[in-house]
Amino acid sequence: MNKILVAALLLALTVSSRAAALPSGAELKKLTDQSLLSFNSAVQKADFTDFYKSTAELWQKQTTPDKLKAIFQSFIDRKFDMEGVIKKRVPTFEPAPAMDADGFMVVNGAYNVDGDSLTFRLQYYSEGGAWKVAGINVHFQNAPEKRQEVPSEAEVKKLTDNTLLSFNSAVQSQDFGAFYKSIAKLWQEQTTADKLKDAFKTFIDQKFDIGSVVKNVKPAFQPPPAINSDGLLVVPGSYPIKPDKLDFVLEYLNEDGAWKLASINVKANKAAKDGDDDGE
């Protein structure tokens, strides 16, 4: 999903026009980088105090750090971080920086890197021989997320086998510590090893052991594994063993390029005496 955000704060103030020499290309790049990195730092800290102090005094008289934070709250909420884009690329300035009729230097430009795009419009006012920010308009767009692809059948089988053997080991040892460490960070934040043990207590009580099944029988995936609208790899299937049958639905989340377990549902049809067991 593309993340696009536009925020702007421009100074509406008429001041007497006065001559001021435009910075050189190198000076302009340095000035732009510093302004946007300072702005980005304020977003990351959710604190605009330092950024406020770096702006022109005439702007400071019209706003406060808290007002600036409120204006750019959407950047904070969406955790936008533009530092990598700013540091990896030299900005292009178009149209060329120029002085407007009110004595402000207007700087328009963009950074583009790896699909991320940062466009900006900055206004500077010369105070004490230094250019100070007097207005800022920022448009930041993350690169579109690459669509996840369903792993090959061999990869899905390996993933399934590893997951269920790890789960079975936790049941046999009555210790879900190692299993907990292997699951997605997102799931780890919602549970604990002890909570997992409690959730699967029925498996422990019934001495549920699927080790030999997983190692010796090839799973059948039906319907085929697919990636749902939430980006989860959903793997439904079963191990067709007679007279028993082991059904499962596993969901995986791609974290740092690796599929990590995000939920597990296992159902053992082991004759009438055992009934069904379900997991999280």
Side-chain angles (χ1 to χ4, degrees):
M1 180 184 297
N2 283 359
K3 294 180 179 178
I4 303 174
L5 191 64
V6 178
L9 183 60
L10 297 178
L11 182 68
L13 180 69
T14 300
V15 297
S16 59
S17 179
R18 56 182 174 173
L22 293 175
S24 66
E27 292 172 330
L28 193 62
K29 177 191 179 300
K30 183 178 180 180
L31 184 64
T32 302
D33 286 352
Q34 289 176 340
S35 297
L36 292 174
L37 286 173
S38 178
F39 169 77
N40 188 68
S41 177
V43 171
Q44 302 312 303
K45 296 184 296 184
D47 184 349
F48 277 75
T49 302
D50 291 337
F51 178 73
Y52 170 83
K53 291 178 181 179
S54 72
T55 63
E57 290 182 7
L58 57 86
W59 194 15
Q60 292 178 4
K61 293 176 181 178
Q62 300 185 34
T63 189
T64 66
D66 287 340
K67 287 181 179 179
L68 290 172
K69 180 181 178 182
I71 290 169
F72 295 106
Q73 186 64 45
S74 295
F75 277 72
I76 297 170
D77 292 343
R78 299 199 182 191
K79 299 180 180 179
F80 278 161
D81 189 350
M82 302 171 285
E83 181 177 357
V85 176
I86 297 168
K87 290 188 173 181
K88 288 180 181 178
R89 285 292 184 271
V90 175
T92 56
F93 299 107
E94 189 176 343
M99 300 296 298
D100 67 11
D102 296 321
F104 294 101
M105 179 173 66
V106 182
V107 181
N108 293 282
Y111 298 82
N112 293 285
V113 56
D114 300 332
D116 290 333
S117 176
L118 169 61
T119 57
F120 56 85
R121 176 183 172 86
L122 302 170
Q123 285 184 312
Y124 291 94
Y125 189 67
S126 182
E127 289 183 344
W131 290 105
K132 298 295 185 74
V133 175
I136 182 170
N137 180 307
V138 179
H139 177 286
F140 185 60
Q141 178 176 331
N142 285 128
E145 294 180 2
K146 293 182 179 179
R147 181 175 177 80
Q148 298 286 351
E149 294 185 0
V150 176
S152 67
E153 183 175 348
E155 291 172 322
V156 172
K157 179 185 180 302
K158 182 178 180 180
L159 194 61
T160 300
D161 287 351
N162 288 343
T163 295
L164 292 176
L165 286 174
S166 177
F167 169 74
N168 190 66
S169 177
V171 171
Q172 301 312 305
S173 65
Q174 300 185 32
D175 183 351
F176 278 75
F179 180 76
Y180 171 82
K181 292 179 181 178
S182 72
I183 65 178
K185 293 179 182 178
L186 182 65
W187 193 13
Q188 288 179 353
E189 293 173 356
Q190 301 171 14
T191 189
T192 65
D194 287 338
K195 286 182 179 179
L196 288 172
K197 181 179 178 180
D198 289 341
F200 295 106
K201 189 175 186 302
T202 302
F203 285 77
I204 296 172
D205 293 343
Q206 294 186 356
K207 298 181 179 180
F208 182 82
D209 190 349
I210 58 173
S212 61
V213 174
V214 176
K215 289 179 180 179
N216 299 315
V217 180
K218 182 178 180 180
F221 301 110
Q222 186 62 38
I227 296 176
N228 66 16
S229 58
D230 294 322
L232 294 172
L233 171 64
V234 182
V235 182
S238 63
Y239 288 87
I241 51 179
K242 295 181 180 180
D244 307 327
K245 184 180 180 184
L246 177 66
D247 295 315
F248 59 84
V249 178
L250 308 173
E251 291 185 338
Y252 297 91
L253 177 66
N254 194 307
E255 289 184 341
D256 300 324
W259 291 106
K260 297 287 187 175
L261 187 68
S263 75
I264 180 171
N265 184 300
V266 181
K267 180 181 293 185
N269 295 310
K270 294 188 63 178
K273 65 176 183 178
D274 286 344
D276 290 345
D277 289 320
D278 293 282
E280 290 193 352

